[in-house]
Amino acid sequence: MTKILIVDDEPDILEFLQYNLEKEGFEVETAIDGEEGLIKAHSKVPDIVVLDIMMPRMDGFEVCKVMRKDPKFDNTIITFLTAKDEDFSQIAALDLGGDDFITKPVSPRVFTSRIKALLRRHRGNESNVQDQIINIADLVIDKEKVLVKRKGEKIELAKKEFELFCLLVEKPGKVYTREEIFRKVWGTDVIVGNRTIDVHIRKLREKVGPIYIKTIKGIGYKFEF
Amino acid sequence: MTKILIVDDEPDILEFLQYNLEKEGFEVETAIDGEEGLIKAHSKVPDIVVLDIMMPRMDGFEVCKVMRKDPKFDNTIITFLTAKDEDFSQIAALDLGGDDFITKPVSPRVFTSRIKALLRRHRGNESNVQDQIINIADLVIDKEKVLVKRKGEKIELAKKEFELFCLLVEKPGKVYTREEIFRKVWGTDVIVGNRTIDVHIRKLREKVGPIYIKTIKGIGYKFEF
DNA sequence: AAATTTATTAACTCAATGTTAAATCTCTGT
DNA sequence: ACAGAGATTTAACATTGAGTTAATAAATTT
């Protein structure tokens, strides 16, 4: 089983990431600061370490530096986590031996898929470029460019709209309940104003075209073509 | 659990692949020729069929053609297996509805990772999605997609209709009393207007076909085929 | 044939969803 | 830090169709 260690000083973030990764079948350890992180990493060598950069006592860069000197962690993937406005150069992070760089806030979907992509990439085969572009019906969905094209025509979607659309598109035909959608896109069970999803669905239908998203009354929504 | 059917005329290959897939936790059936393969596929619809092309009596292409005509196997992945020097066009194989093409000889690692990749590609991840799909008579009931197919033709059911149908289908032959149906589908003992179930049964018979649901007068209803 | 149970049909009801606009939040550039 | 733009959420109201009911017909049992 894949072991993941998350180090972040915000308990909320820890709980949020732990919950979502465990749901995907990963074994998750958490630490509240760099020092605790190092101790836990030593006691049970993780496959992936997710390091927040800004932390009291010992920041993420420090933890990374220490780990990268220890051959014990040669096969451990390190990824950084940081708030968008903290202006740390990704280059610096990667120079220190980090493998990836994830900016907060991040939805559970994106986070787990980044983790999975890292695992795939690191374990050799399979280019991660392949699954960044989805070709379905007369649509092209480019996850990297956050762009949908319909018959060659560009359609600009907002972030939430795009993620919601991707969720539906990735399993055509599957019916997603509102609860599922909230969990996967919003990353919370707390049900926000209960017309929120409807409004996003409406915008998607307006922008992408009305034919792709179908309502299954009493259950939820699905993508179909 | 993911069910794999391997069809090859060389017992050594069968044993080799079976051993390695079972070690990975798959449920493996084998067949020594195309005809046996088809029979086994019908008796227990597999998630993946691995078909050798060169076989006596009925070759892999034939088996694929027959299977692809049967909507029962709509959710079954078919992959071909052939010796490197047999110069069959991959195009031909894929045109027939095959999903992949593996050349012998193949290492266990590569083979199982190809199988896993297929599962990932075809559905979300490699785990038990298939439990969500019931294959019975000429019907396919996909719980995730909230969809019934009869001979490949989509039948859209409303929520209650679908739940009621699933209840009956999951134990073919079992007679459900109205009280039982209320408890399990409506989740209440309070009996609503006592013609409600009849009306739902009527709609099911109208949409799915009249032959599947039988009335046991004085007791209740059952699914039979 | 009377009684009981189930089938059929159509009308009705209300919760779920659609729609719109305004309020609030979040980013971006200065 | 601030303003403005755009994204997201909330709230209020409209619409729809699934699910229910009710009334009547047909089937089955006694």
Side-chain angles (χ1 to χ4, degrees):
Chain A
M1 187 186 269
T2 306
K3 288 181 282 293
I4 301 182
L5 170 64
I6 311 172
V7 190
D8 195 312
D9 59 322
E10 294 167 72
D12 289 352
I13 305 271
L14 285 182
E15 199 187 333
F16 170 78
L17 298 178
Q18 176 168 26
Y19 171 76
N20 284 292
L21 287 173
E22 281 179 348
K23 216 170 47 185
E24 295 286 324
F26 295 105
E27 190 180 327
V28 181
E29 282 283 330
T30 62
I32 201 74
D33 62 46
E35 287 186 16
E36 191 190 348
L38 274 178
I39 292 162
K40 290 211 172 173
H42 272 95
S43 78
K44 203 173 191 184
V45 176
D47 299 289
I48 300 190
V49 181
V50 178
L51 283 176
D52 188 29
I53 293 175
M54 288 283 281
M55 283 186 299
R57 310 217 298 158
M58 185 188 244
D59 70 26
F61 290 141
E62 277 305 311
V63 178
C64 180
K65 256 192 254 177
V66 174
M67 287 184 70
R68 277 291 171 253
K69 276 185 196 140
D70 190 337
K72 200 171 175 179
F73 301 116
D74 275 358
N75 294 301
T76 299
I77 301 166
I78 297 178
T79 180
F80 290 101
L81 193 61
T82 189
K84 195 174 258 174
D85 54 347
E86 291 169 14
D87 178 35
F88 291 109
S89 152
Q90 299 202 7
I91 313 297
L94 301 181
D95 276 352
L96 285 171
D99 296 290
D100 201 1
F101 201 93
I102 300 173
T103 53
K104 293 186 282 191
V106 63
S107 78
R109 281 191 65 254
V110 170
F111 185 68
T112 54
S113 82
R114 287 287 283 275
I115 294 292
K116 286 178 182 173
L118 272 174
L119 280 165
R120 268 205 304 280
R121 207 186 327 148
H122 204 255
R123 287 176 183 171
N125 53 5
E126 287 196 61
S127 66
N128 62 336
V129 180
Q130 186 107 21
D131 41 27
Q132 294 289 74
I133 297 176
I134 300 166
N135 238 295
I136 195 165
D138 51 3
L139 301 171
V140 180
I141 294 129
D142 188 327
K143 289 195 184 180
E144 204 166 42
K145 295 181 184 166
V146 191
L147 185 75
V148 176
K149 280 193 194 177
R150 188 166 134 247
K151 296 174 184 167
E153 185 194 3
K154 286 183 188 176
I155 299 168
E156 303 215 336
L157 298 182
K159 198 165 56 183
K160 280 264 157 57
E161 287 161 15
F162 189 77
E163 281 194 29
L164 171 52
F165 197 54
C166 282
L167 176 70
L168 298 178
V169 162
E170 274 162 5
K171 281 201 183 185
K174 149 142 190 165
V175 180
Y176 287 88
T177 65
R178 282 142 193 287
E179 288 71 29
E180 250 177 309
I181 293 174
F182 263 118
R183 269 205 312 277
K184 302 215 168 159
V185 178
W186 273 259
T188 168
D189 304 316
V190 183
I191 282 151
V192 200
N194 57 354
R195 295 266 67 70
T196 301
I197 289 180
D198 305 52
V199 175
H200 280 87
I201 292 283
R202 193 193 162 284
K203 288 215 158 176
L204 276 178
R205 298 214 256 232
E206 185 183 305
K207 289 185 181 178
V208 182
I211 61 168
Y212 303 102
I213 299 173
K214 218 184 154 197
T215 304
I216 311 301
K217 192 156 176 166
I219 308 180
Y221 298 95
K222 71 172 172 180
F223 175 88
E224 209 176 46
F225 59 98
Chain B
M1 184 187 273
T2 307
K3 289 180 282 290
I4 302 182
L5 170 64
I6 311 172
V7 190
D8 195 311
D9 59 321
E10 293 167 72
D12 289 352
I13 304 271
L14 284 183
E15 199 187 335
F16 170 76
L17 297 179
Q18 176 168 26
Y19 171 75
N20 284 292
L21 287 173
E22 282 180 347
K23 212 170 52 187
E24 294 287 323
F26 295 106
E27 189 182 327
V28 180
E29 282 280 330
T30 62
I32 200 74
D33 63 47
E35 289 186 14
E36 191 189 348
L38 275 178
I39 292 164
K40 291 211 170 171
H42 274 280
S43 76
K44 203 172 192 183
V45 177
D47 301 288
I48 300 191
V49 181
V50 178
L51 283 175
D52 188 29
I53 293 175
M54 288 283 280
M55 284 187 297
R57 310 219 295 161
M58 188 187 239
D59 70 28
F61 289 141
E62 276 306 310
V63 177
C64 179
K65 255 192 257 178
V66 174
M67 288 184 67
R68 276 293 172 249
K69 278 189 194 133
D70 191 337
K72 200 169 175 179
F73 300 116
D74 275 1
N75 295 297
T76 299
I77 301 166
I78 297 178
T79 179
F80 289 103
L81 194 62
T82 189
K84 198 173 257 168
D85 53 350
E86 290 169 17
D87 178 33
F88 290 107
S89 152
Q90 299 201 8
I91 313 297
L94 301 181
D95 276 351
L96 285 171
D99 295 290
D100 200 4
F101 199 94
I102 300 174
T103 53
K104 293 186 285 191
V106 64
S107 75
R109 265 196 77 260
V110 170
F111 185 68
T112 53
S113 83
R114 286 289 280 275
I115 293 291
K116 286 178 182 173
L118 272 173
L119 281 164
R120 265 202 308 277
R121 181 148 37 108
H122 208 250
R123 335 197 234 267
N125 53 51
E126 63 186 84
S127 65
N128 50 5
V129 177
Q130 191 71 334
D131 300 335
Q132 298 284 75
I133 299 176
I134 300 166
N135 238 296
I136 195 166
D138 50 2
L139 300 172
V140 179
I141 294 125
D142 188 328
K143 289 194 176 181
E144 198 173 63
K145 297 186 176 176
V146 192
L147 185 74
V148 176
K149 280 193 195 176
R150 187 166 137 249
K151 295 176 182 166
E153 187 193 2
K154 286 183 187 177
I155 300 168
E156 305 213 334
L157 300 182
K159 186 182 174 183
K160 280 264 157 58
E161 287 161 19
F162 190 78
E163 283 176 3
L164 171 52
F165 196 54
C166 282
L167 177 70
L168 297 178
V169 161
E170 271 163 4
K171 286 201 179 181
K174 146 139 195 168
V175 180
Y176 285 88
T177 66
R178 280 142 196 288
E179 287 71 29
E180 250 178 310
I181 292 174
F182 263 118
R183 266 205 314 278
K184 304 215 166 160
V185 177
W186 273 257
T188 169
D189 305 316
V190 183
I191 282 154
V192 202
N194 60 351
R195 294 269 65 75
T196 300
I197 288 180
D198 305 49
V199 175
H200 279 88
I201 293 284
R202 193 195 161 282
K203 286 210 162 174
L204 275 179
R205 285 172 171 156
E206 183 184 307
K207 288 185 180 177
V208 181
I211 61 169
Y212 303 102
I213 300 172
K214 288 210 166 63
T215 304
I216 311 301
K217 189 147 179 162
I219 307 178
Y221 299 94
K222 70 171 173 179
F223 175 88
E224 208 176 47
F225 60 98

